[in-house]
Amino acid sequence: MAKVALIQRELKRKKLVEKFAAKHAELKAIANDVKRSDDERFEARQALQKLPRNANPTRQRNRCELTGRPRGTFRQFGLARGKVRELALSGNIPGVIKASW
């Protein structure tokens, strides 16, 4: 089990990303628009830098929903590899079976 503080930090980041998502996307679009003037694009980049660091979606880390493990997480299930294996073998994940050939 991951430390509670690390899990809480990720939840805090998730809320911050959701809060600034619209503004971040708008500024990003302006900064990447070649039809805009250089001054407008520069101002958009400056405004992006003034947003909180944790408002950037790339700062988020995928963690297991059950254990909080940061590595080996399957996006499809939101679980770490160990838990996926454990739940699949017990038949708790629909449509997942052990491979045999």
Side-chain angles (χ1 to χ4, degrees):
M1 185 79 187
K3 289 185 178 179
V4 177
L6 298 178
I7 296 171
Q8 292 302 318
R9 183 189 305 159
E10 288 301 320
L11 291 175
K12 187 177 174 183
R13 282 182 181 155
K14 186 176 182 179
K15 288 178 188 173
L16 208 57
V17 167
E18 290 171 0
K19 181 179 176 183
F20 287 99
K23 189 170 188 176
H24 190 274
E26 178 187 340
L27 290 171
K28 198 78 162 148
I30 293 170
N32 292 333
D33 188 7
V34 274
K35 295 178 183 176
R36 302 247 183 181
S37 70
D38 288 339
D39 291 334
E40 284 180 315
R41 294 174 68 194
F42 179 74
E43 288 174 13
R45 286 192 193 99
Q46 293 290 4
L48 266 173
Q49 288 180 353
K50 288 181 182 176
L51 292 179
R53 235 179 225 191
N54 288 332
N56 193 342
T58 58
R59 304 259 308 177
Q60 286 182 302
R61 179 85 180 186
N62 292 333
R63 287 187 173 269
C64 176
E65 293 292 325
L66 300 178
T67 61
R69 180 181 165 83
R71 295 176 183 229
T73 305
F74 283 71
R75 288 182 188 167
Q76 186 176 3
F77 307 115
L79 300 171
R81 58 185 169 77
K83 286 295 176 182
V84 169
R85 184 173 193 269
E86 185 182 304
L87 294 173
L89 287 175
S90 63
N92 292 330
I93 302 177
V96 178
I97 56 171
K98 186 177 179 182
S100 60
W101 59 89

